[in-house]
Short mmCIF file of all heavy atoms in Angstrom, two decimals:
data_model
loop_
_atom_site.label_atom_id
_atom_site.label_comp_id
_atom_site.label_asym_id
_atom_site.label_seq_id
_atom_site.Cartn_x
_atom_site.Cartn_y
_atom_site.Cartn_z
N THR A 50 -4.94 2.54 4.55
CA THR A 50 -3.98 3.24 5.40
C THR A 50 -4.60 4.50 5.97
O THR A 50 -4.41 4.84 7.13
CB THR A 50 -2.72 3.61 4.59
OG1 THR A 50 -2.17 2.42 4.02
CG2 THR A 50 -1.68 4.29 5.46
N TYR A 51 -5.33 5.22 5.14
CA TYR A 51 -6.03 6.42 5.57
C TYR A 51 -7.52 6.16 5.53
O TYR A 51 -7.99 5.21 4.91
CB TYR A 51 -5.68 7.60 4.65
CG TYR A 51 -4.21 7.90 4.63
CD1 TYR A 51 -3.43 7.55 3.52
CD2 TYR A 51 -3.57 8.49 5.72
CE1 TYR A 51 -2.07 7.80 3.51
CE2 TYR A 51 -2.22 8.74 5.71
CZ TYR A 51 -1.47 8.39 4.60
OH TYR A 51 -0.12 8.63 4.58
N ASP A 52 -8.24 7.05 6.17
CA ASP A 52 -9.69 6.94 6.17
C ASP A 52 -10.24 7.34 4.80
O ASP A 52 -9.63 8.13 4.08
CB ASP A 52 -10.28 7.85 7.24
CG ASP A 52 -11.73 7.51 7.58
OD1 ASP A 52 -12.24 6.50 7.06
OD2 ASP A 52 -12.34 8.25 8.36
N TRP A 53 -11.37 6.78 4.45
CA TRP A 53 -12.11 7.18 3.25
C TRP A 53 -13.26 8.07 3.73
O TRP A 53 -14.11 7.63 4.48
CB TRP A 53 -12.67 5.96 2.53
CG TRP A 53 -11.63 5.03 2.00
CD1 TRP A 53 -11.03 4.00 2.67
CD2 TRP A 53 -11.08 5.01 0.69
NE1 TRP A 53 -10.14 3.35 1.87
CE2 TRP A 53 -10.14 3.95 0.63
CE3 TRP A 53 -11.27 5.79 -0.46
CZ2 TRP A 53 -9.41 3.65 -0.51
CZ3 TRP A 53 -10.55 5.49 -1.59
CH2 TRP A 53 -9.63 4.43 -1.62
N THR A 54 -13.27 9.31 3.27
CA THR A 54 -14.30 10.26 3.70
C THR A 54 -15.06 10.78 2.49
O THR A 54 -14.45 11.16 1.49
CB THR A 54 -13.65 11.44 4.45
OG1 THR A 54 -12.93 10.93 5.58
CG2 THR A 54 -14.71 12.43 4.93
N PHE A 55 -16.38 10.79 2.59
CA PHE A 55 -17.23 11.32 1.53
C PHE A 55 -17.86 12.62 1.99
O PHE A 55 -18.35 12.73 3.12
CB PHE A 55 -18.32 10.32 1.16
CG PHE A 55 -17.80 9.15 0.38
CD1 PHE A 55 -17.34 8.01 1.02
CD2 PHE A 55 -17.73 9.20 -1.01
CE1 PHE A 55 -16.84 6.94 0.31
CE2 PHE A 55 -17.22 8.13 -1.74
CZ PHE A 55 -16.78 7.00 -1.07
N ILE A 56 -17.84 13.61 1.09
CA ILE A 56 -18.36 14.94 1.39
C ILE A 56 -19.31 15.35 0.28
O ILE A 56 -18.99 15.23 -0.91
CB ILE A 56 -17.20 15.97 1.48
CG1 ILE A 56 -16.27 15.60 2.64
CG2 ILE A 56 -17.74 17.39 1.62
CD1 ILE A 56 -14.97 16.38 2.64
N ASN A 57 -20.48 15.83 0.66
CA ASN A 57 -21.40 16.44 -0.28
C ASN A 57 -21.27 17.95 -0.09
O ASN A 57 -21.67 18.48 0.94
CB ASN A 57 -22.84 15.99 0.00
CG ASN A 57 -23.83 16.57 -0.98
OD1 ASN A 57 -23.72 17.73 -1.37
ND2 ASN A 57 -24.82 15.79 -1.38
N PRO A 58 -20.67 18.66 -1.08
CA PRO A 58 -20.42 20.10 -0.89
C PRO A 58 -21.66 20.93 -0.63
O PRO A 58 -21.58 22.01 -0.05
CB PRO A 58 -19.77 20.52 -2.22
CG PRO A 58 -19.25 19.26 -2.82
CD PRO A 58 -20.19 18.18 -2.38
N TYR A 59 -22.83 20.44 -1.06
CA TYR A 59 -24.07 21.19 -0.86
C TYR A 59 -24.76 20.87 0.46
O TYR A 59 -25.62 21.61 0.91
CB TYR A 59 -25.06 20.91 -1.99
CG TYR A 59 -24.73 21.55 -3.32
CD1 TYR A 59 -23.45 22.00 -3.62
CD2 TYR A 59 -25.70 21.69 -4.30
CE1 TYR A 59 -23.15 22.57 -4.85
CE2 TYR A 59 -25.41 22.25 -5.53
CZ TYR A 59 -24.14 22.69 -5.80
OH TYR A 59 -23.84 23.25 -7.02
N GLU A 60 -24.40 19.73 1.04
CA GLU A 60 -25.06 19.29 2.27
C GLU A 60 -23.99 18.76 3.23
O GLU A 60 -23.77 17.56 3.33
CB GLU A 60 -26.10 18.21 1.97
CG GLU A 60 -27.21 18.67 1.04
CD GLU A 60 -28.20 17.55 0.74
OE1 GLU A 60 -28.93 17.16 1.67
OE2 GLU A 60 -28.22 17.07 -0.40
N LYS A 61 -23.33 19.68 3.95
CA LYS A 61 -22.20 19.33 4.80
C LYS A 61 -22.58 18.35 5.91
O LYS A 61 -21.75 17.60 6.40
CB LYS A 61 -21.61 20.58 5.43
CG LYS A 61 -20.91 21.49 4.43
CD LYS A 61 -19.62 20.87 3.95
CE LYS A 61 -18.80 21.86 3.14
NZ LYS A 61 -17.59 21.26 2.61
N ASN A 62 -23.84 18.36 6.31
CA ASN A 62 -24.26 17.46 7.38
C ASN A 62 -24.25 15.99 6.95
O ASN A 62 -24.42 15.09 7.77
CB ASN A 62 -25.66 17.84 7.89
CG ASN A 62 -26.72 17.76 6.78
OD1 ASN A 62 -26.42 17.99 5.61
ND2 ASN A 62 -27.95 17.46 7.15
N LYS A 63 -24.04 15.74 5.66
CA LYS A 63 -24.03 14.36 5.17
C LYS A 63 -22.67 13.69 5.25
O LYS A 63 -22.56 12.51 4.97
CB LYS A 63 -24.48 14.32 3.70
CG LYS A 63 -25.97 14.48 3.48
CD LYS A 63 -26.30 14.20 2.03
CE LYS A 63 -27.79 14.07 1.81
NZ LYS A 63 -28.12 13.69 0.44
#
Side-chain angles (χ1 to χ4, degrees):
T50 304
Y51 301 106
D52 197 6
W53 296 87
T54 301
F55 286 90
I56 297 168
N57 181 321
Y59 286 19
E60 300 178 68
K61 291 289 190 183
N62 60 329
K63 284 189 169 185

